[in-house]
Amino acid sequence: MQPVMASAQDRLKLLARSWTMVAEGYDKSFSGRFGPWQRDAIAQLQAALPASGRGTIAVPACGPGQELPLLAAAFPRHRIVGIDLAEGMVEVARRLVAERGLADRVEVRAGDASRLDGLGPLAGVLSVFGLQQMPAPGQVLANWVAALQPGGACCVCFWPQQVERAGPWQRLFDLTAALNRQPQPDWEAGIPGQALAAINGVQLLRDERVVHAMEWPSAAAFWQAMTRAGPWHSRLLHFGEEHMEELRKLFMEGYPDEAAPLAHTPEARLVCLRRGPAPKAAL
Ligand SMILES: C[S@@+](CC[C@H](N)C(=O)[O-])C[C@H]1O[C@@H](n2cnc3c(N)ncnc32)[C@H](O)[C@@H]1O
């Protein structure tokens, strides 16, 4: 049977439910492994935005919130607002913020972060591994840049369509696409072009690939984390165990020694943009 994908609204509900169910497991399996990319994105925001300034930095798709204390340390005078679709993620992130004694300056909200309208003109936007989950990512990036105040900066790290040349993650992508039997839309095409075209005076500071190594005890452990605690869990909810077992068998054919340690080097895409300064008042 050909899998049928959900409508945009159904997909949003599915993602919120899935990420809530896996929040604790995701934090254990992925927060540490994704840390190097989070630190890269924060370093780029530091290069783009004076830490001595004030204002609000929004963190769309903050998940369990590992980047929030790192950002609070890098920008000690700013207010920081994390937003995530999944109540379960918000709960984990709020716990972390409270444990670190940051609740006076760091807030975590539940909701769809594809628009940031309610937060007022922002000093900054930082988002790690959320953009690829959003409907129309090019438009979402334009929305985030539009929410910046003059001189504000937006640094976004996300998983592109090609995550690695060869490796378990790309294998999972390719096998999933083959099972879908539908052409993959080129959702990266509008990044960063849509943001640059929609808003006057936006400067592209950086658009590059960032590689770090990831290690797993085995291919089976990678499969388990991706499907029971990570981005493929929503597929499990949507298509069920039988479909996932079919995918698992295809995936594991690439790893005859199921128990052998697995290392790979995924490449994220890091894009940073800055809004031009406020126009000088006429003399
Ligand atoms: C892969 S996790 C990334 C979490 C964290 N930033 C990190 O680097 O580990 C993706 C997160 O995006 C959130 N998400 C997906 N779509 C969203 C949306 N439209 N609005 C807000 N959050 C969203 C999910 O709930 C999930 O917590």
Side-chain angles (χ1 to χ4, degrees):
M1 189 190 76
Q2 179 162 328
V4 178
M5 298 315 287
S7 73
Q9 269 310 312
D10 287 348
R11 185 173 148 74
L12 215 57
K13 283 190 200 149
L14 178 71
L15 283 178
R17 192 155 74 92
S18 168
W19 285 113
T20 286
M21 289 171 77
V22 306
E24 302 276 355
Y26 173 88
D27 197 21
K28 287 194 184 76
S29 292
F30 290 96
S31 284
R33 289 186 167 94
F34 287 173
W37 285 280
Q38 293 176 347
R39 289 191 285 278
D40 290 339
I42 291 170
Q44 290 312 321
L45 191 63
Q46 281 181 294
L49 192 66
S52 57
R54 289 187 187 274
T56 301
I57 300 176
V59 188
C62 65
Q66 180 175 246
E67 60 269 57
L68 300 175
L70 302 175
L71 198 58
F75 292 92
R77 292 151 68 105
H78 287 78
R79 173 176 165 252
I80 290 161
V81 182
I83 309 124
D84 201 277
L85 192 59
E87 294 278 357
M89 288 290 192
V90 169
E91 207 176 296
V92 178
R94 281 187 183 147
R95 201 168 62 216
L96 178 68
V97 167
E99 279 166 11
R100 301 289 173 91
L102 292 167
D104 58 330
R105 203 158 60 83
V106 182
E107 182 195 337
V108 188
R109 298 182 182 179
D112 178 4
S114 57
R115 301 192 69 92
L116 299 171
D117 302 338
L119 288 173
L122 296 166
V125 174
L126 177 103
S127 186
V128 185
F129 301 143
L131 189 64
Q132 77 283 342
Q133 296 246 315
M134 309 260 169
Q139 181 56 51
V140 170
L141 183 60
N143 296 344
W144 292 350
V145 174
L148 293 172
Q149 64 195 27
C154 171
C155 290
V156 178
C157 186
F158 62 95
W159 294 118
Q161 292 167 110
Q162 181 88 32
V163 175
E164 51 196 2
R165 260 168 267 290
W169 201 324
Q170 196 60 43
R171 179 172 175 79
L172 200 45
F173 263 130
D174 293 345
L175 290 171
T176 305
L179 277 186
N180 285 348
R181 286 180 226 125
Q182 283 167 351
Q184 290 292 96
D186 182 7
W187 57 263
E188 270 185 274
I191 301 173
Q194 274 180 268
L196 293 170
I199 305 135
N200 280 335
V202 174
Q203 190 188 358
L204 178 63
L205 303 176
R206 197 165 280 268
D207 184 355
E208 64 188 19
R209 302 279 165 150
V210 187
V211 185
H212 292 288
M214 268 205 248
E215 291 176 6
W216 303 87
S218 63
F222 172 84
W223 167 266
Q224 190 72 9
M226 291 301 256
T227 59
R228 302 283 161 174
W232 264 256
H233 179 263
S234 58
R235 193 170 182 90
L236 169 64
L237 280 188
H238 190 61
F239 294 123
E241 293 284 357
E242 205 178 311
H243 169 85
M244 293 307 278
E245 182 52 20
E246 187 186 346
L247 185 57
R248 190 192 70 81
K249 282 190 184 137
L250 291 171
F251 175 75
M252 291 308 300
E253 279 171 13
Y255 303 96
D257 182 357
E258 278 197 24
L262 184 65
H264 60 128
T265 47
E267 284 185 16
R269 189 170 164 198
L270 178 58
V271 176
C272 293
L273 300 137
R274 185 166 51 208
R275 268 193 102 147
K280 294 218 167 57
L283 291 174

